[in-house]
Amino acid sequence: MGINSTEVSYNFGQLGSVFTNLAKPVYPPKGHVIVACHFLANNIPTAMVTETLDTMGPQFPSSSDTEASANNYLGVCESAAGGAGSSAGVVTIGANAKIKKGQYIIIGDDDATIDAGITLDTDAGHLDPIYQGPNAQGLIVKDISGTTLTISNANGSVFDASNLDGDNTLFFLDEYHGAGGSTVESITFPGGTIIYGRWATVTPSAAAAIFYFGK
């Protein structure tokens, strides 16, 4: 009988799984990834290496502390503000080809790191993005040309960028990149925990765990 439900295949492990209680790496078959980690006892993985699709798909928790990869830490990218902008929403930033029209913007301080997290700057005009519904709000990239960024409110109104300064860092969000995450390095997952994602390999600690494969 053929498989005609992706949901069944993923939820019930029909694309394969592996059990281990060893502190050694596990790998999926060719063309697959690890889509779920079920820790049967307390576990401190030493490596969780994501597929990291970048512009082609979502990001997931990783053991990497490299800020530009996985973990949904800095969005698509981050860029420092060059100083105060204009009341029309125009500000100078560091050029980055990943910044595109329509992306949402988080305004933080320049002390943000993957270990310390992002400190929001509401005085500079930060708005938490709410993408749908009657309370929808946020700041978006209206236009980008080299180092010149124009910010607007998601409702189309003008954003006053004059409260930005050189101590601000801007984080850019798109359909695949969130922000504010940190590394799972040295984190203990309690027994019974199941986490979902797309990993190329996982190295658990020497405690019982089951890893499920998917496309």
Side-chain angles (χ1 to χ4, degrees), residues 71-82:
N71 291 313
N72 285 303
Y73 161 65
L74 54 65
V76 179
C77 64
E78 63 182 358
S79 185

Side-chain angles (χ1 to χ4, degrees), residues 47-105:
M48 299 187 73
V49 181
T50 60
E51 188 176 49
T52 310
L53 294 169
D54 197 19
T55 59
M56 298 184 295
Q59 313 300 296
F60 299 98
S62 165
S63 56
S64 171
D65 59 4
T66 301
E67 295 182 349
S69 65
N71 291 313
N72 285 303
Y73 161 65
L74 54 65
V76 179
C77 64
E78 63 182 358
S79 185
S86 74
S87 59
V90 179
V91 62
T92 299
I93 62 170
N96 193 311
K98 290 185 175 182
I99 300 172
K100 306 292 184 184
K101 290 182 181 180
Q103 292 173 350
Y104 276 72
I105 300 169

Side-chain angles (χ1 to χ4, degrees), residues 5-143:
S5 170
T6 301
E7 182 178 357
V8 169
S9 299
Y10 276 52
N11 291 348
F12 294 92
Q14 292 185 13
L15 295 184
S17 61
V18 61
F19 166 84
T20 183
N21 58 2
L22 305 174
K24 300 291 184 180
V26 295
Y27 299 93
K30 176 184 176 182
H32 294 65
V33 290
I34 296 168
V35 295
C37 307
H38 185 183
F39 300 113
L40 304 179
N42 290 358
N43 209 297
I44 308 174
T46 55
M48 299 187 73
V49 181
T50 60
E51 188 176 49
T52 310
L53 294 169
D54 197 19
T55 59
M56 298 184 295
Q59 313 300 296
F60 299 98
S62 165
S63 56
S64 171
D65 59 4
T66 301
E67 295 182 349
S69 65
N71 291 313
N72 285 303
Y73 161 65
L74 54 65
V76 179
C77 64
E78 63 182 358
S79 185
S86 74
S87 59
V90 179
V91 62
T92 299
I93 62 170
N96 193 311
K98 290 185 175 182
I99 300 172
K100 306 292 184 184
K101 290 182 181 180
Q103 292 173 350
Y104 276 72
I105 300 169
I106 300 292
I107 300 177
D109 291 338
D110 63 0
D111 60 355
T113 69
I114 196 168
D115 295 317
I118 297 172
T119 301
L120 302 175
D121 191 344
T122 54
D123 290 337
H126 169 77
L127 287 175
D128 287 339
I130 302 175
Y131 304 116
Q132 299 183 66
N135 298 318
Q137 65 175 22
L139 305 175
I140 63 170
V141 177
K142 181 179 181 181
D143 190 51

